Structures are given as structure tokens and as C-alpha cells.
Amino acid sequence: MIGLALGGLLLGAVFGALALRPTDNPDNGRAASVSGKPLVGGPFSLIDQTGKRVTDQDFRGKEMLVFFGFTNCPDICPAGLQVMSAALQQLGKKADDVVPLFITLDPERDTPEKMSEYVKNFSPRLVGLTGSASEIAATAKAYRVFYQKVPDEKNPNNYSVDHSAFFYLMGKDGSFLAPIPITNDPAQLASSIDKALG
């Protein structure tokens, strides 16, 4: 939970600038504005649940709905993936060009085989991605995702992974469209995706 709070704060700082809009200053008639977009997303090269190497370029021409987590996650990840799958189902044909991606933050345990078993519990459309520790770290950094391994005090051979939890909606050209809180229910997520896609 501490990790989620820290991740939320970090993302809040990145996305906070989005809330600023040009305003007229009655004193001098000038407008204050913030230019540019948050630098979220970017190139990646990972392994899908079939063992095939894929890159961000393989998804060009489709929007990506990206969620980071891990298969041993007790509640946040499965709940998020259920919401993601239900929201896309609610959108119907509007979601035909949206590819849901689940990127592990635990490449040590989440092999392509394990990802394959896991993602099929949620949707046949869901793409599970893993890779080397350095590949995952680079992808998480590109998406501004906080994560850290947390040892299990009762079992030194086990661990969990604290991580920030957002859905990232990416455009057909790979550009960042919107961060969507994981606290949304399926209807809220469907509405947020619909609005972002126009």
C-alpha cells in the first residue's frame, strides 16, 4: 500500500500539469499556459504469452490500454484486469481497435508460460508481456511506473511487488492519451476510454 501511495504521488506530479489551462490575467492581459505533454510511454521490446518477441511498433494502428502488475498479486491486479476486460466488453465495437496489455513487474517468476495461464482467466484479447529484468525496468521507467520487490518476513524465499496502479491509454501512434485510475468500475473505465478516444 505504501508503494501504491508513493506511485500515486509520483504520477500525480507528472499528470498535475494537465490540469493547468490557459487563464486570462486581468492585470496585464497575458495568458499563462503549460506547454507540452507528459512524457509517458515509449519504445519497448518484450515477450508475449506465446513466447514471441513483440515491440510497441506491433501495436501501431490500434490504441493500447496498458496495465502493469504481476501474476502473484493477491487483489489489485486481478481486480484491475477484470475491470479492464468488462469495460472493453461494454464498449462493444468501439473497443475493436483497443488492445489490452498486461505487463508484468515480476519477470523473475512471470515466464511466458505463466503469463499465458494467467491472462486467459480474464479475456482472450488480453496480451500478457514479460521480458528480462532490464527490459521490464526500461518499460516501467518509460511509463513512469513505480515498483519494488518486498521480501516476505514470514518466508524469506518469497516476496511481493509493490507498484503504482493506473491504466494507461495510448493512441494509435503510441502517444499518451490519458491515465485512468484503477479505482474506476467497468462503466467508469468504459466512459473514460470512450471520451479519450473521441
Side-chain angles (χ1 to χ4, degrees), residues 9-127:
L9 288 173
L10 290 171
L11 284 170
V14 173
F15 301 136
L18 290 175
L20 297 176
R21 295 287 184 264
T23 57
D24 290 329
N25 184 334
D27 293 332
N28 59 18
R30 295 181 183 178
S33 66
V34 175
S35 62
K37 290 184 177 181
L39 299 176
V40 177
F44 61 77
S45 178
L46 299 169
I47 307 294
D48 73 10
Q49 73 265 34
T50 70
K52 176 187 173 186
R53 181 160 291 278
V54 297
T55 74
D56 56 298
Q57 294 294 322
D58 291 308
F59 303 103
R60 289 296 181 265
K62 293 183 178 289
E63 287 88 10
M64 299 184 296
L65 185 60
V66 184
F67 181 60
F68 289 81
F70 63 113
T71 64
N72 286 315
C73 182
D75 43 31
I76 292 169
C77 301
L81 291 172
Q82 287 173 346
V83 167
M84 178 190 276
S85 298
L88 293 176
Q89 197 166 24
Q90 284 184 24
L91 283 169
K93 287 200 168 291
K94 288 184 179 178
D96 284 352
D97 284 337
V98 179
V99 179
L101 302 179
F102 177 58
I103 302 177
T104 186
L105 295 169
D106 185 15
E108 186 177 330
R109 294 182 295 194
D110 288 343
T111 62
E113 294 78 17
K114 190 164 185 183
M115 293 293 279
S116 176
E117 286 298 312
Y118 189 72
V119 298
K120 70 183 181 184
N121 292 314
F122 301 97
S123 169
R125 298 179 55 190
L126 184 59
V127 178

Side-chain angles (χ1 to χ4, degrees), residues 15 18 40 65 166-171 175-180 192 196:
F15 301 136
L18 290 175
V40 177
L65 185 60
F166 274 84
F167 298 112
Y168 300 86
L169 185 61
M170 312 301 290
S175 63
F176 174 66
L177 296 180
I180 305 172
S192 295

Side-chain angles (χ1 to χ4, degrees), residues 111-188:
T111 62
E113 294 78 17
K114 190 164 185 183
M115 293 293 279
S116 176
E117 286 298 312
Y118 189 72
V119 298
K120 70 183 181 184
N121 292 314
F122 301 97
S123 169
R125 298 179 55 190
L126 184 59
V127 178
L129 298 176
T130 187
S132 68
S134 61
E135 289 167 341
I136 293 298
T139 305
K141 182 177 180 181
Y143 279 81
R144 306 298 188 259
V145 174
F146 163 84
Y147 72 105
Q148 68 178 4
K149 188 184 288 189
V150 179
D152 185 337
E153 294 178 1
K154 297 178 181 177
N155 181 1
N157 296 321
N158 196 18
Y159 62 88
S160 185
V161 180
D162 277 358
H163 61 94
S164 52
F166 274 84
F167 298 112
Y168 300 86
L169 185 61
M170 312 301 290
K172 292 184 178 183
D173 60 353
S175 63
F176 174 66
L177 296 180
I180 305 172
I182 194 175
T183 52
N184 282 358
D185 62 28
Q188 290 171 323

